[in-house]
Amino acid sequence: MPFPPSPRTRSGPRRRSLLAVAPAALALAGCTGGDSGGPAGDGTSAADRARARAARDSEGLAEHYDAVIAARPSLAGRLRPLREEVVRHAQALGGGRKASPSASPSASVSATSSPSPSAAVPGNDKDALAGLAAAERELADRRVKALGAVPGELARLLASVAAAGAAHVYLLTEGGA
């Protein structure tokens, strides 16, 4: 006897679609044909610019997390691991931010550059999480679109970071609800 369908309708990505993102992104990254050890020239400088841009994007996202954690301390336990992962992404991409896992939310904000004005935090937890999820989704989408324009090793890194961003979107929208 089959089970009846769940009365709860879900919005957003399903686990299956998130699990499908990583292999698809990695397959796309493997098809770039570029190689990170090519001669110095336009390709290398374009890759360096793409890497620097991706690191800045991750640093900006970490600032957004900092702003939300400072404004909504009740979310700090849920958001701090995701923020720390975003900081690790920035570091892997060549950014200079340091993670401060033991710092309080206010200390982590003061220890980093001030959050950008675009990181204004909504007045309730649900909207704050939705804003972070939208920022993660937009950044993951941009990174997936950039895969074909960067050399292989950087494409693989961007694909991995984009897949992590898609997982963050799930955790922010469905995972803790």
Side-chain angles (χ1 to χ4, degrees):
M1 172 175 197
F3 290 106
S6 173
R8 180 179 168 213
T9 58
R10 299 178 66 166
S11 64
R14 305 293 188 270
R15 275 183 273 197
R16 287 184 191 146
S17 63
L18 287 175
L19 293 174
V21 169
L26 290 175
L28 182 58
C31 294
T32 61
D35 110 319
S36 59
D42 287 46
T44 302
S45 62
D48 290 343
R49 286 191 305 272
R51 181 183 290 270
R53 183 174 43 256
R56 282 191 311 272
D57 289 345
S58 288
E59 289 170 349
L61 185 58
E63 289 176 4
H64 194 155
Y65 273 96
D66 289 341
V68 172
I69 289 170
R72 314 291 311 158
S74 61
L75 296 173
R78 182 175 177 185
L79 297 180
R80 195 167 285 121
L82 300 176
R83 181 228 177 250
E84 291 169 2
E85 191 169 322
V86 169
V87 169
R88 284 191 296 273
H89 295 159
Q91 290 170 344
L93 291 161
R97 293 178 58 94
K98 300 285 186 229
S100 54
S102 61
S104 68
S106 59
S108 67
V109 170
S110 64
T112 62
S113 60
S114 61
S116 64
S118 63
V121 179
N124 63 52
D125 291 355
K126 183 178 178 183
D127 290 342
L129 291 173
L132 278 172
E136 285 271 15
R137 183 178 299 115
E138 189 270 332
L139 187 53
D141 289 347
R142 271 194 290 153
R143 287 178 170 157
V144 168
K145 289 177 185 173
L147 291 177
V150 295
E153 190 63 31
L154 179 56
R156 286 184 281 281
L157 179 58
L158 286 178
S160 176
V161 172
H168 288 184
V169 171
Y170 173 78
L171 292 171
L172 290 167
T173 57
E174 301 286 334

